[in-house]
């Protein structure tokens, strides 16, 4: 019998790529399996999931805005419409297990799946649980997490401490450096700084990089600068032979492989990937996310002397000195690399798939 998996996660890369990593591992284990993704109609997953080779259906759903907004008026309608469409999709596809990795679309889909007694697993990437996963936690069988202390949010008997699922092609990048340098059209004799603004790009980081281009030049660095699609028009004219400005990196494996140093936001998946990549990192967490969870994600690493943390409000005062110190000290770079590698959880996807297999046996 062919197993069938329905998977929902989206809104941003931080919810989409864990879903794809889980699907890839399930596919390797069950080559005959059928997959169906469910996302939010107008979000990034509608493009990224088909690119990864999986079919996806879109729901008409969005989150509630924190401020008073006209969009909130449509929310009840959207919820009813997406619950009803989820019901139709589930009836037709008849999955063995439903998997949710956070984001709006996973709420109606997994709620309907649990009502139909389909075993459900959710995966929470952050140290602070998202609203969708908190809402679903009472209804699902298994909750895979990446941080300790998640029993503040979820029933403890359902929690599995697996780590975040990272795409397979990011697990071994050590042999890809030469290919990566060619891919980005860079010079192998100069060091490379990779700048990551998270899947949507980060305004503050872009402003910092623009201001620091002279500093990078003084250090004879080349830069791969992922600026985010909303900022591409503003920054693409800063590109030259030493500075590659890209809206989005479709080959993260090569970007990580090329890098000697990394400046990054501290979204949960980025942090998990950077632990596996094992290079010196400066985290600049977004202060604009729920409960300041990116700072917490970063602190879990920097508390172990495994990366450098610079908060946005300290950038003007300390970025230049901290960056220059790191670039100039091979010893510091080595300590950071060794310590961050110790925090990697490369078996996370395997462990999550084992949990899913247990749920398949419940049917
Ligand atoms: C502003 C915001 O709400 N950010 C949240 C969002 O971040 P965001 O969507 O930025 O997510 P993460 O940093 O966790 O992960 C980004 C993912 O996108 C991939 N990637 C990124 C850039 C690129 O050019 N190419 C590419 O493939 C990364 O390799 C990674 O797999 O979800 C995370 C996980 O729930 C949260 O911790 C973040 O706080």
């Amino acid at each position: 019998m062919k197993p069938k998996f329905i998977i929902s996660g989206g809104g941003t890369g931080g919810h989409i790529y864990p879903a794809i990593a889980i699907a890839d591992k399930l596919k390797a284990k069950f080559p005959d399996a059928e997959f169906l993704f469910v996302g939010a109609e107008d979000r990034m997953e509608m493009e990224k999931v088909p690119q990864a080779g999986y079919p996806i259906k879109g729901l008409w759903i969005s989150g509630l805005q924190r401020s008073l907004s006209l969009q909130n008026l449509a929310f009840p309608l959207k919820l009813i419409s997406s619950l009803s469409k989820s019901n139709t999709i589930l009836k037709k596809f008849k999955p063995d297990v439903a998997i949710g990795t956070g984001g709006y679309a996973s709420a109606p889909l997994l709620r309907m799946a649990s009502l139909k007694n389909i075993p459900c697993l959710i995966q929470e990437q952050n140290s602070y649980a998202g609203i969708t996963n908190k809402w679903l936690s009472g209804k699902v069988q298994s909750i895979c997490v990446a941080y300790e202390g998640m029993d503040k949010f979820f029933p403890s008997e359902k929690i599995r401490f697996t780590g975040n699922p990272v795409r397979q092609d990011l697990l071994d990048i050590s042999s890809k450096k030469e290919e990566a340098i060619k891919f980005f059209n860079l010079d192998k004799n100069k060091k490379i700084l990779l700048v990551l603004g998270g899947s949507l790009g980060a305004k503050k980081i872009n402003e910092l990089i623009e201001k620091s281009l002279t500093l990078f030049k003084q250090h004879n660095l080349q830069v791969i600068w992922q600026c985010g699609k909303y900022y591409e028009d503003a920054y693409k004219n800063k590109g030259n032979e030493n500075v590659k400005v890209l809206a989005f990196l479709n080959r993260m494996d090569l970007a990580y492989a090329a890098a000697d140093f990394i400046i990054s936001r501290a979204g949960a998946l980025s942090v998990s990937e950077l632990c596996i990549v094992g290079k010196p990192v400066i985290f600049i967490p977004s202060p604009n996310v729920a409960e300041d969870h990116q700072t917490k994600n970063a602190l879990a690493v920097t508390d172990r002397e495994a990366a450098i943390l610079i908060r946005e409000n300290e950038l003007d005062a300390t970025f230049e000195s901290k960056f220059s110190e790191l670039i100039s000290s091979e010893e510091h770079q080595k300590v950071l690399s060794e310590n961050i590698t110790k925090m990697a959880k490369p078996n996370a996807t395997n462990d999550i798939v084992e949990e899913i297999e247990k749920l398949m046996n419940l049917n």
Side-chain angles (χ1 to χ4, degrees):
M1 197 194 70
K2 281 188 193 169
K4 288 185 177 183
F5 302 105
I6 201 155
I7 307 183
S8 181
T12 65
H15 297 307
I16 300 167
Y17 290 111
I20 292 175
I22 293 171
D24 286 348
K25 187 55 100 185
L26 282 167
K27 197 170 167 187
K29 207 151 194 182
F30 303 101
D32 289 343
E34 278 183 47
F35 294 88
L36 181 60
F37 276 67
V38 175
E41 248 167 21
D42 52 347
R43 302 305 298 253
M44 201 171 161
E45 56 268 27
M46 300 311 287
E47 179 197 335
K48 302 295 173 200
V49 168
Q51 273 175 10
Y54 298 101
I56 184 162
K57 287 192 188 294
L59 303 178
W60 184 49
I61 184 80
S62 61
L64 271 172
Q65 308 291 310
R66 275 165 219 206
S67 54
L68 269 181
S69 145
L70 274 181
Q71 271 193 46
N72 283 347
L73 290 177
F75 182 76
L77 258 183
K78 288 183 182 178
L79 190 61
I80 292 167
S81 141
S82 56
L83 283 166
S84 150
K85 189 162 176 191
S86 296
N87 188 30
T88 313
I89 292 171
L90 288 163
K91 241 189 195 159
K92 202 159 164 222
F93 187 66
K94 298 193 176 59
D96 294 289
V97 182
I99 299 149
T101 56
Y104 310 129
S106 63
L109 184 83
L110 270 85
R111 183 69 190 104
M112 286 318 289
S114 73
L115 279 174
K116 290 176 166 306
N117 292 324
I118 296 165
C120 295
L121 174 144
I122 53 176
Q123 197 266 323
E124 173 58 58
Q125 297 89 38
N126 291 285
S127 53
Y128 179 84
I131 185 165
T132 304
N133 280 348
K134 272 194 277 189
W135 186 67
L136 288 170
S137 64
K139 285 117 193 153
V140 303
Q141 279 68 30
S142 183
I143 306 171
C144 295
V145 303
Y147 288 89
E148 283 164 20
M150 297 303 283
D151 50 356
K152 287 197 288 287
F153 308 105
F154 302 135
S156 55
E157 70 283 3
K158 297 185 182 180
I159 296 179
R160 311 285 175 267
F161 183 47
T162 54
N164 282 324
V166 164
R167 285 170 283 171
Q168 202 66 27
D169 62 351
L170 304 183
L171 292 184
D172 185 18
I173 53 158
S174 57
S175 59
K176 297 185 186 171
K177 177 114 183 167
E178 207 176 311
E179 181 191 355
I181 289 172
K182 277 200 196 118
F183 182 84
F184 290 104
N185 200 15
L186 292 168
D187 175 352
K188 67 174 188 310
N189 299 311
K190 290 187 195 166
K191 298 267 183 193
I192 298 169
L193 167 68
L194 169 65
V195 179
L196 298 172
S199 60
L200 303 173
K203 184 166 182 277
K204 263 276 160 38
I205 293 187
N206 289 336
E207 288 166 1
L208 171 80
I209 299 307
E210 183 181 18
K211 269 199 296 196
S212 310
L213 287 174
T214 321
L215 174 72
F216 300 152
K217 202 168 172 191
Q218 282 161 6
H219 285 291
N220 201 21
L221 289 174
Q222 304 173 99
V223 188
I224 302 172
W225 174 4
Q226 179 252 330
C227 65
K229 77 170 180 187
Y230 301 117
Y231 306 100
E232 191 180 14
D233 288 344
Y235 293 105
K236 65 179 174 217
N237 65 345
K238 302 285 166 204
N240 58 43
E241 128 190 62
N242 289 314
V243 180
K244 308 292 171 186
V245 183
L246 295 147
F248 190 84
L249 300 165
N250 286 315
R251 290 294 304 269
M252 281 305 289
D253 59 331
L254 296 183
Y256 286 138
D260 295 288
F261 317 97
I262 301 170
I263 293 175
S264 178
R265 274 291 195 226
L269 241 273
S270 298
V271 174
S272 298
E273 291 173 3
L274 289 164
C275 292
I276 287 172
V277 165
K279 301 200 171 172
V281 181
I282 297 178
F283 285 117
I284 305 174
S286 166
N288 313 314
V289 294
E291 300 294 313
D292 202 15
H293 67 248
Q294 287 206 5
T295 304
K296 290 177 189 149
N297 294 344
L299 278 170
V301 182
T302 57
D303 279 352
R304 298 181 191 203
E305 219 198 314
I308 293 169
L309 167 67
I310 311 183
R311 292 168 211 263
E312 279 193 353
N313 60 10
E314 301 163 348
L315 282 172
D316 287 344
T318 66
F319 176 75
E320 188 167 336
S321 59
K322 287 191 178 170
F323 181 78
S324 300
E325 189 280 325
L326 176 68
I327 299 296
S328 317
S329 167
E330 280 188 16
E331 185 50 33
H332 195 183
Q333 294 164 24
K334 194 165 157 255
V335 170
L336 295 186
S337 293
E338 280 172 10
N339 288 347
I340 201 168
T341 308
K342 287 183 202 150
M343 299 184 70
K345 280 192 150 283
N347 290 327
T349 322
N350 261 332
D351 294 346
I352 293 166
V353 163
E354 275 178 20
E355 274 301 306
I356 295 170
E357 280 182 82
K358 286 184 204 155
L359 297 187
M360 287 163 72
N361 296 333
L362 292 180
N363 264 333

